[in-house]
Amino acid sequence: MTKVVHILGNGDNAVLFNHNCKGIRLVCNMPPFEVDNVYASIMVDFKMMAALTEGSLNLDKYWWVLGNRPKMWMQERPSFYMKHASHIRDFYLHVPKYAALGTENPSFAATNFNCGHMATHYACNKLEATEVHMYGFDSIFDHNMRSVTDLYLNSDRSNTNNYKLLNNWRPIWNFIFKEFKETQFVLYHKHPNTKIDLPKNVTVRSKK
C-alpha cells in the first residue's frame, strides 16, 4: 500500500508546495507560510530550542519531532521540557553513520545531519513512507543556502561557510536515497538540474 509523505523545506522553492496534496505533512522548523494538517515540525538545532525557550518563536500549534540536540537541551532545562512536553510527538535520535563521513570526529555527524535530512530519514524509517515529496530543498539544485529560518535565527551565510555546509550536506542525500531504495522520492524545483547524481528512485518535477 502506498504511503505518501510531503516534506516542506525552507528554501525559496518551498512555494511549489501543493496545499491540496494528500498524505502526511512534515515541516522543517517553522514553515515559510501557513500549512494545514501538519503531522509534525522537525527540529534538530540548539538555536531553535533557544528561540523557543526565550519566547521569540512559538510553535505550539504543531506537534514536534525532536533530534538529539533538542533532547539534550530539554534534559538540561526540565522546566522547559515540562512546559512543552505535550507538544512532543516523538524524539528521533537516529543519526546514520554516513553523516560523519569526511569528518575526523564522529560527533560531527549530528551537525552534518540537518533538519531536512532528519525529516526525510524520519519519513522513510519511522513513518515507513513509500513515496516522499520534497519542496524547498534548494541546496540540492543550486548554490543557494537561503532559508526562511535565517529571518528569525542568525546563521553564518558567508561563502566560506556555505561551501563547507554544501560539501557536508549534499553527499548525505545520496546515502539517504540509496538507503531507502524502495522508496520513491520526488523533488520539486524551478529547474531540473541537480548538483548531485540521482539514483533511479528519485525524480524531479520542475516548472520548465
Side-chain angles (χ1 to χ4, degrees), residues 76-162:
E76 295 172 359
R77 297 164 179 82
S79 60
F80 177 73
Y81 173 73
M82 292 299 295
K83 179 179 179 180
H84 293 286
S86 62
H87 299 122
I88 301 171
R89 184 158 217 155
D90 202 358
F91 285 104
Y92 190 64
L93 308 180
H94 177 71
V95 178
K97 292 182 179 180
Y98 52 68
L101 293 180
T103 67
E104 296 181 358
N105 189 339
S107 65
F108 289 163
T111 302
N112 293 342
F113 203 59
N114 66 29
C115 191
H117 295 140
M118 177 174 147
T120 306
H121 204 278
Y122 180 82
C124 298
N125 189 40
K126 189 65 180 287
L127 300 182
E128 299 181 333
T130 58
E131 186 176 309
V132 177
H133 296 255
M134 301 164 61
Y135 314 81
F137 288 78
D138 293 4
S139 62
I140 295 176
F141 295 84
D142 303 304
H143 185 67
N144 178 2
M145 296 287 287
R146 287 190 301 273
S147 169
V148 68
T149 307
D150 298 339
L151 299 177
Y152 48 84
L153 295 178
N154 290 327
S155 300
D156 182 356
R157 289 293 180 240
S158 65
N159 284 337
T160 299
N161 194 56
N162 282 352

Side-chain angles (χ1 to χ4, degrees), residues 138-207:
D138 293 4
S139 62
I140 295 176
F141 295 84
D142 303 304
H143 185 67
N144 178 2
M145 296 287 287
R146 287 190 301 273
S147 169
V148 68
T149 307
D150 298 339
L151 299 177
Y152 48 84
L153 295 178
N154 290 327
S155 300
D156 182 356
R157 289 293 180 240
S158 65
N159 284 337
T160 299
N161 194 56
N162 282 352
Y163 277 111
K164 178 181 178 181
L165 290 174
L166 287 171
N167 288 336
N168 290 341
W169 287 354
R170 282 180 180 154
I172 294 174
W173 288 117
N174 289 109
F175 285 106
I176 291 176
F177 296 148
K178 291 177 182 177
E179 179 181 358
F180 300 101
K181 60 185 178 181
E182 301 301 322
T183 302
Q184 297 299 310
F185 297 90
V186 183
L187 310 180
Y188 294 79
H189 198 69
K190 63 183 178 182
H191 64 74
N193 305 313
T194 62
K195 296 295 186 183
I196 59 176
D197 293 328
L198 299 178
K200 292 181 179 180
N201 61 322
V202 184
T203 59
V204 177
R205 293 182 186 173
S206 65
K207 287 184 176 180

Side-chain angles (χ1 to χ4, degrees), residues 31-65:
F33 41 73
E34 191 72 21
V35 183
D36 295 328
N37 302 317
V38 172
Y39 180 85
S41 170
I42 309 296
M43 290 179 270
V44 300
D45 294 323
F46 286 135
K47 289 190 297 183
M48 197 67 194
M49 292 298 101
L52 292 171
T53 301
E54 70 183 17
S56 59
L57 290 180
N58 186 313
L59 291 177
D60 291 354
K61 66 184 297 182
Y62 302 118
W63 289 95
W64 301 354
V65 172

